[in-house]
Amino acid sequence: RENEIKDDLRTITEKATDEYFMKSAPQKDTFGGVEISTKYDITAVDKDGDSCSLSAGQSHVLGLSYVAGCRQITNTHTFLFIDSPLHNISGNFRNEVAIVLAKHLPPGVQVTLFVTESEYKHGDPDGAAPVREILKPTGKIWREYEIGECKTDDGESTRCFKVLK
């Protein structure tokens, strides 16, 4: 019975991971889906079911999709920290991932994104909007901080957090 339960959980996780990946992966039309082996190797496959090599951005999205899939099937409602969720993804693909991220952020769950200024505040010359402009109107952002340079009382330079308006 234990193996049946493990297989069921793996299959459900695979389905949830596949759902997120196929909604948000850069160049998602080239993929047929996601497979998770019995040893929990996670692989993106083409439409024929063959393993695909992934770009850094696609690999990053696959990892985020797996985390989202695990959270979905376990109903884990704890806070979540994500470091640089969009750093390997450029242009309009970054915007697509931001849209999916905003749409699927769990309600009532604190999600903290650690992002660089270029990853969050800047678009690109080809017309991709800054991610901040996508996330801010969704009402999912409670507070934004920026790490800046400050001076201590004795004149030393240090880093501090500043609340953005």
Side-chain angles (χ1 to χ4, degrees), residues 34-125:
V34 172
E35 291 181 356
I36 300 177
S37 76
T38 56
K39 293 182 180 184
Y40 287 88
D41 295 319
I42 305 165
T43 309
V45 296
D46 64 19
K47 297 188 189 316
D48 294 325
D50 296 325
S51 177
C52 297
S53 60
L54 302 176
S55 69
Q58 291 164 336
S59 293
H60 202 75
V61 171
L62 182 57
L64 291 171
S65 298
Y66 179 68
V67 169
C70 288
R71 289 178 65 88
Q72 179 180 316
I73 69 154
T74 60
N75 286 324
T76 302
H77 297 294
T78 60
F79 61 88
L80 179 64
F81 291 96
I82 306 174
D83 186 17
S84 296
L86 306 167
H87 78 282
N88 285 323
I89 306 164
S90 60
N92 289 322
F93 295 128
R94 179 183 287 185
N95 290 358
E96 288 178 27
V97 172
I99 290 166
V100 171
L101 185 62
K103 184 177 179 182
H104 294 287
L105 284 174
V109 174
Q110 178 180 342
V111 178
T112 302
L113 304 176
F114 295 98
V115 293
T116 62
E117 184 175 35
S118 63
E119 180 179 10
Y120 186 65
K121 288 184 173 180
H122 302 291
D124 68 24

Side-chain angles (χ1 to χ4, degrees), residues 148-160 162:
E149 186 174 344
C150 299
K151 298 282 184 189
T152 63
D153 291 340
D154 54 349
E156 294 292 320
S157 191
T158 187
R159 299 284 179 200
C160 60
K162 299 177 184 179

